[in-house]
């Protein structure tokens, strides 16, 4: 599945003002998938220590339960496009909504550790589907003059979802008097944390019935008259609908269906540009960003901070994530992708090194001295800020722009797959690594942040201001 490609003649066409509000509603409804992506990815943060206690599991097995959702993410992302091309974008949203709902209920009411892991895989399928279908659908219904701004709804929804999940976790913990296994209406607090996702999941499904199918899919399915109705909804009745349908049909005929073979080079397996994309994806994860979203509550408790405060710090970190994302959205087209990436790498390396220094002072009682504790908290927030204003956004911009047209879809798929694998590696390894040496773990992340600087300087070319046809 690819986003709508439009000829130059349609660029600059603006939606009629009376339709723009409706288009924003459609975009926001589709971006609920991004909200659930962020929410489901990070809500587990509040349940880690409670799951460890309830099922009496060690760090290695606990890590697999936390990380196993990423397997579902990879499968969902790999299959969503083809499914959407067969049954439509809206149907995929509705399937994802059902999967999110089932996962929330199952995760909240597990019989044992194995079925908790199963429900997390189901949630992973939904996350993977939402990560693909949201951006594609938004691109296909957005008028060209507003596509960039409307497309940013997806990333904004993801970081808001992360923040809301941490706020909900904190609120539930306070209702349980600071005990993650405290009872609320017969269920433990951590079960409520995982179960509350039912609310946005059901809302996502209901909203999917209130928005139209993508004109591109309708045309591919032979439903041209309905496609014209939707185009009139989103672009205005003043648009020549016959011309727009012809433009979309011509664009679809010209598209090259890239395959895995197109990515292969003569000596290094993949073409060099594909390796650069893989490198960007892997470095984005190897700095340990998802430790902040999956394990921060458990991390702060491991150095002596009480659960209520640790949950609050997880929430403030997610607010910093939103601020950094907004900064990136403002500056990515002004100062360029490479400068932002380099600024972020330097900031992350310094803040991670400070965290490593602070954690090296952990006492035998499992606490940090006041000075080191303060440094660790500030450095953790600074790290998330520098990631969010740089690699969190810039990598996806690069991956959408850097590949030649002929291989863009297939190369983006390989790079995204590499990102899920690296995400899994960091998520699955952190509990065992932190048991081994928490400070040493952060030294490893800091080294990867440092190594990303020469990688960007040597291999990554600026894409700001270049037409997609110039890439590669």
């Amino acid at each position: 599945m690819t986003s709508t490609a439009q000829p130059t003649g349609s660029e600059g066409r603006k939606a009629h003002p009376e339709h723009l509000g409706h288009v924003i509603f459609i975009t926001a409804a589709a971006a609920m998938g991004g909200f659930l992506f962020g929410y489901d990815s990070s809500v587990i943060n509040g349940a880690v220590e409670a799951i460890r206690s309830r099922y009496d599991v060690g760090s290695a097995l606990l890590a697999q339960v936390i990380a196993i959702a990423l397997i579902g993410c990879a499968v969902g992302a790999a299959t969503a496009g083809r499914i959407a091309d067969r049954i439509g974008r809206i149907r995929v949203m509705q399937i994802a909504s059902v999967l999110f709902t089932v996962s929330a209920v199952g995760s909240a009411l597990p019989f044992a550790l194995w079925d908790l892991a199963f429900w997390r895989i189901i949630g992973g399928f939904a996350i993977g589907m939402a990560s693909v279908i949201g951006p594609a659908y938004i691109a296909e219904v957005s008028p060209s003059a507003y596509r960039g701004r409307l497309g940013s709804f997806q990333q904004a929804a993801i970081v808001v979802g992360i923040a809301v999940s941490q706020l909900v976790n904190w609120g539930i913990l306070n209702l349980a008097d600071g005990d993650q296994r405290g009872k609320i209406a017969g269920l433990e607090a951590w079960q409520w944390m995982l179960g509350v996702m039912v609310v946005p999941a059901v809302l996502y499904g209901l909203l999917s019935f209130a928005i139209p199918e993508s004109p591109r899919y309708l045309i591919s399915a032979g439903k041209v008259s309905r496609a014209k109705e939707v185009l009139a909804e989103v672009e205005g009745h003043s648009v020549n609908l016959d011309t727009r349908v012809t433009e979309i049909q011509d664009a679809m005929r010209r598209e090259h269906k890239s395959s895995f073979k197109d990515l292969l080079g003569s000596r290094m397996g993949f073409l060099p540009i594909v390796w650069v994309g893989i490198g960007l994806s892997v470095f984005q994860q190897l700095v340990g960003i998802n430790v902040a979203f999956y394990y921060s509550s458990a991390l702060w408790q491991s150095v002596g901070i009480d659960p209520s405060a640790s949950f609050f710090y997880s929430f403030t970190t997610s607010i910093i994530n939103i601020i950094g994302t907004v900064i990136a959205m403002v500056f990515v087209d002004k100062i360029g992708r490479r400068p932002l990436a380099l600024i972020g790498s330097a900031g992350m390396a310094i803040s991670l090194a400070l965290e490593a220094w602070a954690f090296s002072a952990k006492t035998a009682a499992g606490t940090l001295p006041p000075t080191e504790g303060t440094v660790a908290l500030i450095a953790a927030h600074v790290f998330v800020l520098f990631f969010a204003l740089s690699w969190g956004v810039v990598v996806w911009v690069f991956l959408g722009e850097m590949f030649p047209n002929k291989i863009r879809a297939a190369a983006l798929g390989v790079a995204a797959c590499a990102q899920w694998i690296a995400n899994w590696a960091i998520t699955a390894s952190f509990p065992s690594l932190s048991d081994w040496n928490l400070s040493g773990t952060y030294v490893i992340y800091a080294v990867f942040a440092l190594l990303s600087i020469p990688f960007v300087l040597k291999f990554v070319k600026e894409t700001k201001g270049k037409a997609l046809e110039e890439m590669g």
Side-chain angles (χ1 to χ4, degrees):
M1 182 178 61
T2 54
S3 57
T4 306
Q6 294 185 359
T8 305
S10 68
E11 294 301 326
R13 179 186 290 118
K14 297 186 177 181
H16 193 282
E18 70 187 41
H19 293 81
L20 187 55
H22 181 56
V23 175
I24 291 172
F25 168 76
I26 291 172
T27 302
M32 272 297 296
F35 176 91
L36 283 159
F37 178 168
Y39 193 102
D40 194 22
S41 296
S42 59
V43 71
I44 193 69
N45 188 7
V48 173
E49 289 305 304
I51 292 170
R52 186 199 298 270
S53 169
R54 174 158 174 171
Y55 297 106
D56 191 25
V57 294
S59 295
L61 183 56
L62 177 68
Q64 295 307 317
V65 174
I66 304 303
I68 200 168
L70 299 171
I71 297 173
C73 291
V75 175
T79 58
R82 291 185 180 182
I83 295 172
D85 282 341
R86 291 187 178 184
I87 66 175
R89 284 57 165 150
I90 299 298
R91 288 287 178 264
V92 171
M93 292 182 195
Q94 290 163 354
I95 292 171
S97 169
V98 171
L99 293 177
F100 276 124
T101 303
V102 170
S103 172
V105 174
S107 298
L109 303 171
F111 298 107
L113 193 63
W114 68 265
D115 76 302
L116 174 60
F118 173 76
W119 299 122
R120 285 192 49 72
I121 293 176
I122 298 298
F125 290 153
I127 293 173
M129 286 183 152
S131 72
V132 170
I133 198 62
Y137 175 84
I138 291 170
E140 291 177 358
V141 299
S142 298
S144 58
Y146 298 96
R147 185 176 299 123
R149 280 163 285 183
L150 293 172
S152 68
F153 276 40
Q154 175 79 358
Q155 180 63 23
I158 292 171
V159 296
V160 170
I162 292 171
V164 171
S165 73
Q166 301 312 301
L167 180 60
V168 169
N169 284 354
W170 182 52
I172 290 173
L173 186 73
N174 286 331
L175 287 175
D177 297 322
D179 183 0
Q180 288 161 269
R181 296 197 60 190
K183 290 293 184 71
I184 304 173
L187 296 178
E188 295 183 5
W190 69 273
Q191 294 176 276
W192 282 105
M193 293 174 190
L194 300 183
V196 164
M197 192 180 68
V198 165
V199 176
V202 170
L203 178 60
Y204 181 40
L206 293 175
L207 286 172
S208 71
F209 287 99
I211 59 178
E213 182 55 86
S214 156
R216 183 186 179 87
Y217 169 74
L218 291 169
I219 290 172
S220 71
K223 301 177 181 179
V224 175
S225 60
R226 176 56 184 152
K228 289 181 179 180
E229 292 174 7
V230 176
L231 286 168
E233 276 187 55
V234 299
E235 297 193 8
H237 293 281
S238 61
V239 172
N240 187 318
L241 299 178
D242 290 328
T243 300
R244 287 292 293 116
V245 168
T246 300
E247 287 176 354
I248 294 172
Q249 289 172 331
D250 289 345
M252 291 169 67
R253 279 193 291 269
R254 287 198 307 270
E255 285 176 355
H256 171 78
K257 296 287 186 182
S258 54
S259 67
F260 188 79
K261 289 183 179 179
D262 294 325
L263 308 182
L264 301 179
S266 55
R267 291 185 301 172
M268 298 183 293
F270 290 123
L271 296 168
I273 190 67
V274 179
W275 282 116
V276 174
I278 292 171
L280 284 167
S281 287
V282 170
F283 271 118
Q284 188 198 51
Q285 296 300 316
L286 294 185
V287 296
I289 185 59
N290 279 309
V291 168
F293 298 128
Y294 295 163
Y295 295 114
S296 60
S297 293
L299 172 64
W300 295 126
Q301 290 174 57
S302 75
V303 293
I305 293 175
D306 70 83
S308 183
S310 72
F311 276 53
F312 179 71
Y313 293 141
S314 295
F315 170 63
T316 57
T317 300
S318 61
I319 295 299
I320 294 295
N321 188 33
I322 294 175
I323 293 170
T325 300
V326 171
I327 293 171
M329 290 165 64
V330 169
F331 287 103
V332 69
D333 285 324
K334 292 184 178 179
I335 68 174
R337 290 75 163 126
R338 284 180 89 234
L340 272 184
L342 293 169
I343 291 168
S345 293
M348 289 190 295
I350 294 169
S351 53
L352 287 166
L354 286 171
E355 284 193 82
W357 171 80
F359 290 136
S360 69
K362 185 178 179 180
T363 66
T367 61
L368 292 180
T371 299
E372 284 81 356
T374 301
V375 169
L377 282 170
I378 294 174
H381 285 73
V382 171
F383 164 62
V384 171
L385 175 65
F386 274 99
F387 176 86
L389 65 81
S390 59
W391 286 73
V393 170
V394 163
V395 167
W396 289 110
V397 175
F398 269 130
L399 294 180
E401 296 176 337
M402 64 187 288
F403 300 116
N405 285 333
K406 182 179 179 181
I407 66 168
R408 181 168 291 115
L412 184 52
V414 168
C417 183
Q419 192 171 119
W420 287 119
I421 292 171
N423 187 341
W424 173 84
I426 291 297
T427 304
S429 65
F430 176 74
S432 297
L433 284 174
S434 61
D435 284 351
W436 161 69
N437 189 316
L438 183 57
S439 177
T441 302
Y442 274 82
V443 169
I444 293 171
Y445 300 154
V447 167
F448 281 121
L450 273 176
L451 290 174
S452 69
I453 295 175
F455 174 79
V456 171
L457 289 173
K458 183 172 178 59
F459 298 111
V460 180
K461 296 180 181 179
E462 180 60 76
T463 57
K464 172 192 171 187
K466 293 184 178 180
L468 294 181
E469 289 70 27
E470 299 177 56
M471 302 302 172

